[in-house]
Amino acid sequence: MSSSIINCAPYREELLDLASTLPKVPRSDLPAFFDDTLRLAERLPQELRDGLDEFNTNGNRDGYLLLRGLPVEPDDELPPTPRSSPPPEDRQLLNMEAMLCIVGGRLGLLTAYDQGYGNRRSITVLHELYPTPEAHHLSGGTSRTQLEFHTDLSHHARQPNYILLSCSRGDHEGKAATLVGSIRKALPLLSDEVRNHLFDRIFTRGFDAADPEAKAHVKPLYGDEDDPYVSFNRSFLTAETPQDIASLDALSAALTEVTEAVLLTRGDLVIIDNFRIAHGRAPFAARWDGKDRWLHRAYVRTDRNGQLSGGERAGEIVPFAPRR
């Protein structure tokens, strides 16, 4: 299995040259922009291509791949960290947006999702994460509360294979670590009884507060019994029996015990295996001074686990379908 960190600093100039060929205003024609990033993905430095391909094929024990030393603008050349969404349509391309999309293109298809929340969320490929004053406590825009362990879009039938986060700015105090709990590390900590109970056990979870009857069906452990996938969101899974509760608590405790804190700083990009981990984020203090933490996020689908059926293009919106 692949290593968890690739040092990209030796390739910074080469990567800057690739980014410089992209359209300067990506949101003016996103389909064309994504087509360009797919072509550039074939021109990434060989060591970087090999590392991405190995992770894409086999994953690793940690459940993530961290690229360090990617090209990022000097801080005084970046716009102020936003405080509201969406970003302006005419905003100039940022280096870490370019890196996000080129790396994503090497892994699979950058994808937009209708997440099934009554279309109350913006449907876009390029997300941004930064503290916002009135953020929901379960959203990436919160800062002072810990974002608890979860698998992104676990309620969606075409759940993304990867979550990509790239960093234009870290938080002021270096506390906003992404918390990663890998099932490959946690599985040996679970008793046979817990593993047997959770494997292919179907839990329900709601996905629309406006419609309490809207339910998806989620299996906490599934796939290969010796190397399973994990789908976990303790805040939403509905336990029906004392054994359900005890087993989910045991899984939560095991993931917590193996948690690794990955602190993203300027020029970092982390690829999270969304089928092998549950992740969260440590709390931090926003200062609202234009220099707060600023991440870029995208989801990627591959042809594994039935996520692609053929003929899809990067940037397309996946209609919502609850997991059954």
Side-chain angles (χ1 to χ4, degrees):
M1 295 182 185
S2 63
S3 171
S4 298
I5 302 176
I6 298 177
N7 177 20
C8 299
Y11 316 118
R12 189 174 286 131
E13 293 304 317
E14 188 175 350
L15 293 169
L16 270 175
D17 287 344
L18 289 181
S20 69
T21 68
L22 288 168
K24 301 304 180 188
V25 185
R27 290 168 180 80
S28 65
D29 189 347
L30 279 174
F33 176 76
F34 293 134
D35 286 344
D36 286 340
T37 59
L38 281 172
R39 286 192 289 271
L40 293 181
E42 301 300 318
R43 294 169 50 193
L44 284 167
Q46 185 66 51
E47 182 182 355
L48 187 49
R49 293 202 307 271
D50 290 346
L52 292 169
D53 292 349
E54 168 66 18
F55 183 71
N56 205 3
T57 301
N58 298 311
N60 61 25
R61 189 165 180 266
D62 294 326
Y64 71 87
L65 182 64
L66 178 61
L67 311 184
R68 306 219 93 141
L70 293 167
V72 61
E73 296 85 352
D75 192 65
D76 59 1
E77 293 182 12
L78 282 169
T81 298
R83 292 179 61 177
S84 62
S85 296
E89 291 288 324
D90 60 353
R91 193 179 77 195
Q92 296 283 303
L93 177 67
L94 303 178
N95 286 341
M96 293 309 290
E97 288 181 309
M99 295 300 103
L100 185 82
C101 295
I102 295 172
V103 168
R106 184 70 190 181
L107 296 168
L109 290 183
L110 294 151
T111 299
Y113 279 89
D114 180 340
Q115 300 188 23
Y117 300 104
N119 292 328
R120 293 189 298 275
R121 294 192 175 183
S122 174
I123 300 176
T124 182
V125 176
L126 299 179
H127 308 151
E128 307 210 321
L129 300 178
Y130 40 76
T132 53
E134 298 179 356
H136 189 278
H137 70 283
L138 295 177
S139 79
T142 188
S143 59
R144 289 194 175 276
T145 58
Q146 178 159 318
L147 195 59
E148 297 297 340
F149 269 139
H150 61 285
T151 302
D152 269 20
L153 290 167
S154 61
H155 63 295
H156 203 298
R158 294 193 180 273
Q159 170 189 323
N161 295 87
Y162 299 116
I163 310 160
L164 275 62
L165 300 171
S166 66
C167 182
S168 284
R169 279 195 183 100
D171 67 296
H172 291 287
E173 299 173 348
K175 294 183 176 180
T178 299
L179 307 175
V180 180
S182 166
I183 191 58
R184 281 176 163 161
K185 290 181 176 180
L187 192 68
L189 304 181
L190 299 176
S191 69
D192 289 344
E193 180 182 4
V194 168
R195 290 169 64 168
N196 291 337
H197 183 72
L198 290 181
F199 202 89
D200 278 344
R201 172 74 168 95
I202 297 175
F203 289 77
T204 60
R205 65 154 289 185
F207 55 84
D208 190 344
D211 182 5
E213 299 304 315
K215 302 291 184 182
H217 299 86
V218 177
K219 298 176 181 179
L221 297 178
Y222 62 103
D224 185 336
E225 291 189 9
D226 295 321
D227 188 19
Y229 300 130
V230 65
S231 186
F232 185 75
N233 192 323
R234 193 65 181 91
S235 299
F236 289 115
L237 293 180
T238 302
E240 297 181 358
T241 69
Q243 190 175 9
D244 286 346
I245 296 171
S247 297
L248 288 176
D249 286 347
L251 177 57
S252 180
L255 290 169
T256 299
E257 185 168 338
V258 303
T259 292
E260 184 171 352
V262 181
L263 183 65
L264 298 181
T265 60
R266 289 165 42 77
D268 288 349
L269 187 158
V270 66
I271 304 161
I272 295 173
D273 185 338
N274 197 41
F275 279 80
R276 301 281 188 193
I277 63 93
H279 73 285
R281 195 220 56 245
F284 65 101
R287 297 184 184 176
W288 317 113
D289 59 356
K291 302 290 185 179
D292 279 319
R293 181 176 185 257
W294 187 4
L295 304 186
H296 313 278
R297 180 180 68 183
Y299 294 127
V300 170
R301 287 188 297 156
T302 76
D303 58 3
R304 288 181 291 116
N305 309 313
Q307 303 311 95
L308 297 176
S309 56
E312 295 94 339
R313 288 186 61 190
E316 290 182 343
I317 297 171
V318 178
F320 178 67
R323 189 180 289 276
R324 298 299 185 193

